[in-house]
Amino acid sequence: MRPYVILSAAMTLDGKIATATGSSNISGKKDLERVHELRKECDGIMVGIGTVMADDPRLTVHKINANPEDNPVRVVVDSRLRTPEDARITNCDAKTIIAGANEYKDDFFDSDKYGLFKERGVKFFFSGDERVDLVALMSYLHEEGIEKLMLEGGATLNFSMLKAGLIDEIRICVAPMVVGGANAKTFFDGEGFDTMDEAVQLELVDSYSLDKDLILTYKILND
């Protein structure tokens, strides 16, 4: 058993979710409100350590009217346990789970950072050798009561989840802008597939305009 996973992101027309310098303010006001409505509906929200290091997100519901209990459980996939001590996802605004790999567990338990995070109520889950076992993580999150999980990437985690068959739905905002850049972050990164025959197939189930943006919803067609 695992949560129902919705991948949510905003990208430019050329598929970029951030420029090479890390600028990622893509969504318009209405789309940000839509995303926070989705956060409110979900039991958990998950990002990779790259997103935490680059953006220091809160991962709470704060663009719309909400109560503290509306905040989803924050999950960080952080194999090497690099989450900064002052990261906002470790504050008391919502519950937080950091998922690390077994290779780095012992050293982390001996660190001052572990004690600091524990004092803040952060929970930890360890799986895999050098990288988090995403299948095991999804099973653990389901056991923790997370039935609907919002995935906000970044690009490497997006592809790893997709390749593992752990994404059920994609909701994407396409903004009317082009930034280019060979080193700009794309919606999906990672090693990619070698052939088009291996590509994950999607079904478009909804589309509409939201101010200047285009909102698309796809279902993953799992074999």
Side-chain angles (χ1 to χ4, degrees):
M1 300 290 290
R2 65 170 179 83
Y4 183 88
V5 178
I6 301 171
L7 171 55
S8 175
M11 71 177 186
T12 61
L13 184 60
D14 54 335
K16 308 298 186 181
I17 61 173
T19 67
T21 61
S23 176
S24 60
N25 52 326
I26 296 172
S27 292
K29 180 177 182 294
K30 290 292 185 182
D31 183 59
L32 288 173
E33 292 173 351
R34 177 191 66 84
V35 168
H36 281 251
E37 289 285 0
L38 179 57
R39 286 185 180 185
K40 190 174 179 178
E41 296 171 12
C42 290
D43 307 303
I45 180 170
M46 187 168 81
V47 298
I49 182 58
T51 297
V52 172
M53 301 286 278
D55 301 334
D56 191 22
R58 285 183 277 178
L59 301 185
T60 56
V61 183
H62 55 269
K63 298 292 185 183
I64 59 173
N65 291 329
N67 299 312
E69 57 267 25
D70 294 323
N71 290 327
V73 176
R74 303 172 294 194
V75 183
V76 182
V77 179
D78 181 10
S79 294
R80 290 184 283 164
L81 303 157
R82 294 181 293 149
T83 299
E85 292 182 3
D86 60 351
R88 293 196 291 180
I89 53 90
T90 67
N91 63 26
C92 61
D93 290 347
K95 296 178 180 178
T96 299
I97 298 170
I98 296 178
N102 288 315
E103 174 76 18
Y104 309 97
K105 179 167 59 175
D106 291 341
D107 287 343
F108 180 67
F109 282 162
D110 290 336
S111 69
D112 292 337
K113 186 161 65 172
Y114 170 68
L116 182 64
F117 285 173
K118 287 287 286 185
E119 289 178 4
R120 296 176 187 169
V122 177
K123 297 179 70 173
F124 300 92
F125 174 76
F126 293 92
S127 64
D129 295 325
E130 296 182 358
R131 296 179 63 181
V132 172
D133 183 330
L134 294 173
V135 173
L137 175 59
M138 291 301 104
S139 179
Y140 168 76
L141 294 180
H142 187 270
E143 292 173 1
E144 288 289 299
I146 297 177
E147 296 184 1
K148 183 184 288 188
L149 178 68
M150 184 177 179
L151 172 62
E152 286 200 1
T156 301
L157 179 59
N158 287 347
F159 184 77
S160 296
M161 288 285 289
L162 186 75
K163 185 176 182 180
L166 298 174
I167 298 176
D168 301 285
E169 186 178 326
I170 295 175
R171 299 187 190 183
I172 182 77
C173 166
V174 181
M177 59 177 76
V178 173
V179 295
N183 295 321
K185 284 290 185 181
T186 57
F187 187 20
F188 290 97
D189 205 335
E191 67 270 27
F193 296 115
D194 291 330
T195 67
M196 289 297 178
D197 289 340
E198 298 173 88
V200 173
Q201 302 299 310
L202 312 174
E203 177 187 0
L204 180 65
V205 295
D206 193 20
S207 63
Y208 59 93
S209 296
L210 188 61
D211 284 348
K212 295 180 180 180
D213 298 325
L214 175 63
I215 312 300
L216 303 172
T217 300
Y218 292 92
K219 290 283 190 180
I220 304 290
L221 299 179
N222 293 315
D223 292 333

